[in-house]
Amino acid sequence: MGVPETLDTKEPIDHGESQASSVDLELPPLTTTTARKLQAKVDWHILPCLCILYLLAFLDRVNISNAAILGLKKDLDITEGTKYNTALTIFFVPYIICEIPSNILLKKLKPHVWLTGCMFMFGLVLLFQGLVQNWGGLMATRFFLGVFETGMFPGCFYLLGMWYTRSEAQKRFSFFFSSTSLAGAFGGLLASGIAKMDGMCGYSGWRWVFILEGVLTSVVAIILFFFIADFPEDVKWLNDEERAYMRAKLAKDSGKAARHLHMGKREVLNVFKDYKVFIGGFMYFGLIVPAYSYAYFAPSIIQTYGYSPIKTQLYSIPPWAAAFGFSMVVAFCSDRMRHRYAFTLIPMAIALIGFIMLMTIHDNNSAQYGALFLVTSGCYSAMPVIVCWFAMNLGGHHRRSVGTAWQIGFGNIGGIIATYSFVTKNGHTDFRTGYIICLSFICLAVLACSVYMVALWVQNKQRDRAAVDAVVIPEDEEEYLGDLAPNYRYTY
């Protein structure tokens, strides 16, 4: 997977309201390269590896939806009741609890060690998932899949946030987040091919889905160990001049990183004294429900249109591909206009229209299938904007690592709700109730984003008024405060 040339930013650093410091930091000169070439160098070292990592992570957690169509439910005798839903839910228990500890360990052990180590382990767990013989075995493997996947998403966003300024970030965040869309498309394509292995070596097709994708994940993890980048202060592929330029550029945008700050209990708890951190969690929480509802149940929805299992897998691909394209359009527009709020509302409105169509249209499969494009494009375009907006408004290593982990961890409680949104009773899945639940939570996300926008606006205005009588604070204290420093201005 490559990084498109268009990701090479041509934009200057925002000297307007995103200015983080009252000190006019001059960027050191570049004599061995140019700013544009340096940015392209960073993109090529950071984005492809993280995209591959998260593509496989998301594929490994949602490929159970492909396996369900290929006979998993029947073979494990979980066709009725909520056993299948519970197997989906158990993944989120450790996934939610371990987010913040994982980001702290990522900082201590370095990203290339922690991320690839976890990736190797969840690939191994997925392989074992293909060998389970009953519901208990499925529950155990899904639990440990959640344990080892817990650090992937917040860890990658934390790492991305330490490499880019706020005016550069959205394209990169969305490109990375679109790995989920590519995973959905790739998963359907891969499952349709692997399904033809049904009966080989005495294993059903759904077992081969888990076994082959698990082996692929673990092998790729070993390769990525040598390529995933660490933080800007640690990598060896930047020379001293480039490192100094990157540190000055990032400090100019969002303040110094407070890299050497001790990450103890006090530092973690202090992050939660900021009420905006809680709002950020609800912004993401509201969209997780429809996003995971679609990821886990889209094949089941498409199968109701009368397609065979293999055709169902193939028809699941186009909506994911459309979501990838639309997400990148939204990201480029958001970065170009240097605005986030409107680019959360527009995609969420599109997703709302999609779910309303699914609820109200019952006799036109083409229209229902078209609604799936709106659902995926809306949900999976708004989510990276929300995460980027929140993460890039957090200053410093400690606030960004804890804040992003909290947002992802709390937000993924919505994954538990999503797994019980579509329950099968007497051979019939209650899709209408699921659609209503998804609509409700998108409205919650709209409300949370609006409250967050108002909170940022109010705090910026308060700091503008206070700037007249501003008291100069010591540099080390300013570095510790991060975005709470009085001279920091939030972006909308």
Side-chain angles (χ1 to χ4, degrees):
M1 183 186 300
V3 182
E5 181 67 25
T6 50
L7 283 185
D8 183 13
T9 183
K10 301 179 182 178
E11 303 164 50
I13 299 170
D14 185 359
H15 297 284
E17 72 176 358
S18 67
Q19 183 88 9
S21 175
S22 58
V23 180
D24 187 13
L25 298 173
E26 291 297 331
L27 298 183
L30 290 171
T31 59
T32 60
T33 186
T34 64
R36 182 175 180 179
K37 288 181 179 178
L38 177 57
Q39 192 63 67
K41 180 180 181 179
V42 170
D43 286 339
W44 280 105
H45 278 87
I46 301 297
L47 290 173
C49 291
L50 294 187
C51 286
I52 292 170
L53 182 151
Y54 197 64
L55 185 153
L56 292 173
F58 192 78
L59 174 66
D60 289 357
R61 85 180 59 156
V62 302
N63 58 9
I64 190 172
S65 64
N66 303 110
I69 298 299
L70 299 176
L72 175 144
K73 290 183 178 181
K74 182 178 178 182
D75 288 356
L76 299 185
D77 192 26
I78 53 174
T79 54
E80 292 293 329
T82 60
K83 282 190 172 183
Y84 175 71
N85 304 80
T86 305
L88 300 181
T89 301
I90 195 67
F91 168 89
F92 290 99
V93 176
Y95 191 78
I96 293 165
I97 295 172
C98 300
E99 298 279 9
I100 293 176
S102 176
N103 259 11
I104 294 173
L105 286 171
L106 179 141
K107 183 175 183 293
K108 291 181 181 294
L109 299 178
K110 295 190 177 180
H112 82 279
V113 174
W114 181 248
L115 293 177
T116 57
C118 290
M119 185 181 184
F120 178 83
M121 290 305 298
F122 68 70
L124 198 62
V125 170
L126 185 67
L127 188 156
F128 291 141
Q129 191 169 295
L131 305 176
V132 299
Q133 299 299 318
N134 51 46
W135 179 66
L138 181 64
M139 288 284 288
T141 52
R142 290 290 296 176
F143 178 86
F144 283 104
L145 195 67
V147 169
F148 294 116
E149 281 207 27
T150 187
M152 295 300 102
F153 195 51
C156 288
F157 269 122
Y158 168 32
L159 181 60
L160 282 169
M162 302 312 296
W163 274 99
Y164 296 105
T165 65
R166 286 178 284 181
S167 62
E168 299 166 343
Q170 189 60 66
K171 292 189 291 290
R172 280 82 181 178
F173 271 58
S174 290
F175 188 76
F176 164 75
F177 192 90
S178 292
S179 302
T180 59
S181 303
L182 294 177
F186 183 59
L189 181 63
L190 201 58
S192 66
I194 295 176
K196 298 175 183 178
M197 296 175 62
D198 187 43
M200 187 178 294
C201 297
Y203 290 145
S204 302
W206 67 267
R207 294 186 183 277
W208 283 114
V209 169
F210 293 145
I211 292 169
L212 294 181
E213 292 177 8
V215 170
L216 173 65
T217 299
S218 293
V219 170
V220 171
I222 295 172
I223 297 171
L224 290 183
F225 176 84
F226 301 98
F227 293 98
I228 285 183
D230 293 322
F231 298 111
E233 304 89 348
D234 304 317
V235 296
K236 297 179 181 179
W237 44 265
L238 289 178
N239 60 39
D240 291 340
E241 178 184 89
E242 292 169 335
R243 194 186 317 278
Y245 181 88
M246 288 296 298
R247 292 179 67 178
K249 184 179 80 165
L250 294 168
K252 188 179 183 73
D253 177 70
S254 52
K256 293 185 178 180
R259 177 198 177 200
H260 300 292
L261 179 70
H262 172 67
M263 288 287 287
K265 180 180 178 181
R266 174 174 168 267
E267 286 72 28
V268 172
L269 293 178
N270 279 344
V271 175
F272 293 99
K273 293 180 180 179
D274 179 10
Y275 70 94
K276 297 190 302 300
V277 169
F278 294 96
I279 300 173
F282 280 99
M283 290 158 61
Y284 190 65
F285 173 71
L287 278 184
I288 277 290
V289 176
Y292 270 118
S293 292
Y294 183 85
Y296 282 130
F297 296 101
S300 299
I301 295 170
I302 295 172
Q303 192 176 41
T304 63
Y305 303 156
Y307 301 123
S308 67
I310 292 181
K311 275 195 172 183
T312 295
Q313 309 291 358
L314 292 173
Y315 272 95
S316 70
I317 298 172
W320 287 112
F324 173 79
F326 186 69
S327 176
M328 292 311 302
V329 170
V330 169
F332 274 86
C333 291
S334 179
D335 265 356
R336 179 63 61 183
M337 298 180 67
R338 300 188 181 185
H339 181 76
R340 304 292 181 237
Y341 176 59
F343 292 99
T344 64
L345 297 188
I346 294 171
M348 286 191 284
I350 291 172
L352 283 170
I353 293 170
F355 278 114
I356 291 170
M357 289 176 63
L358 289 171
M359 280 182 56
T360 56
I361 299 174
H362 306 293
D363 55 356
N364 189 326
N365 288 345
S366 296
Q368 281 201 324
Y369 184 60
L372 298 182
F373 284 77
L374 300 180
V375 168
T376 51
S377 296
C379 289
Y380 287 91
S381 297
M383 290 172 75
V385 179
I386 284 174
V387 175
C388 178
W389 186 22
F390 179 72
M392 300 307 289
N393 272 327
L394 294 170
H397 265 284
H398 70 296
R399 283 184 58 77
R400 192 164 289 173
S401 64
V402 175
T404 53
W406 152 260
Q407 184 187 44
I408 305 303
F410 177 78
N412 274 291
I413 295 174
I416 297 175
I417 298 171
T419 58
Y420 285 104
S421 297
F422 298 84
V423 177
T424 300
K425 295 179 180 179
N426 300 320
H428 174 70
T429 302
D430 184 8
F431 291 111
R432 180 177 175 80
T433 299
Y435 297 149
I436 293 173
I437 292 171
C438 291
L439 279 168
S440 302
F441 277 92
I442 293 176
C443 291
L444 172 63
V446 170
L447 176 62
C449 287
S450 299
V451 172
Y452 185 65
M453 166 66 186
V454 172
L456 298 182
W457 183 82
V458 168
Q459 290 207 350
N460 275 1
K461 292 300 180 183
Q462 289 175 342
R463 293 177 185 183
D464 287 341
R465 289 194 295 269
V468 178
D469 303 315
V471 177
V472 177
I473 60 176
E475 186 176 342
D476 58 341
E477 184 179 344
E478 179 182 340
E479 186 174 358
Y480 172 77
L481 288 172
D483 61 283
L484 298 181
N487 49 19
Y488 190 100
R489 297 296 181 270
Y490 295 107
T491 55
Y492 310 137

